[in-house]
Amino acid sequence: MGRSRMPVGNEGRNDLCLFIEPLGEDYWLNPGEVFTVGPESEDIDVWFETLLSKDCITVWLYEDGDAAKLLVGYTVVDADGNLLECGHQRPSGQKFSAAGPVMD
């Protein structure tokens, strides 16, 4: 796996929200699952910023590490390489605020 891809694993006991900015897309990992985030195009050097909160990890992708070059063309795949869509495994009734999912 190249440095422009980042695996995110859930080693906890609760579901984990992978929240990707700036589009505010959410992907939910069950305990023991691993997803990988990366650019749509292989020729882009991506740097990742990650922020942790209760049961949620927020990821920002930057081209060449430049905060002015936010990357919105990305993919999220599961351990088998299946492309995932926004809302993957989202819990029923999940609430959101302007800052992301509301974790009770």
Side-chain angles (χ1 to χ4, degrees), residues 26-60:
D26 62 316
Y27 305 81
W28 294 79
L29 294 88
N30 294 320
E33 286 188 309
V34 176
F35 296 164
T36 301
V37 181
E40 286 179 336
S41 175
E42 293 293 330
D43 61 341
I44 296 176
D45 182 28
V46 176
W47 292 30
F48 300 90
E49 178 181 359
T50 56
L51 305 168
L52 299 173
S53 60
K54 181 183 177 199
D55 296 325
C56 186
I57 181 168
T58 301
V59 176
W60 293 80

Side-chain angles (χ1 to χ4, degrees), residues 55-95:
D55 296 325
C56 186
I57 181 168
T58 301
V59 176
W60 293 80
L61 292 84
Y62 301 108
E63 187 174 343
D64 297 323
D66 184 342
K69 293 182 179 178
L70 279 171
L71 187 66
V72 294
Y74 62 86
T75 62
V76 177
V77 298
D78 65 15
D80 294 323
N82 298 309
L83 184 63
L84 305 178
E85 294 186 16
C86 175
H88 179 76
Q89 300 182 149
R90 181 186 299 140
S92 176
Q94 178 62 49
K95 297 176 185 172

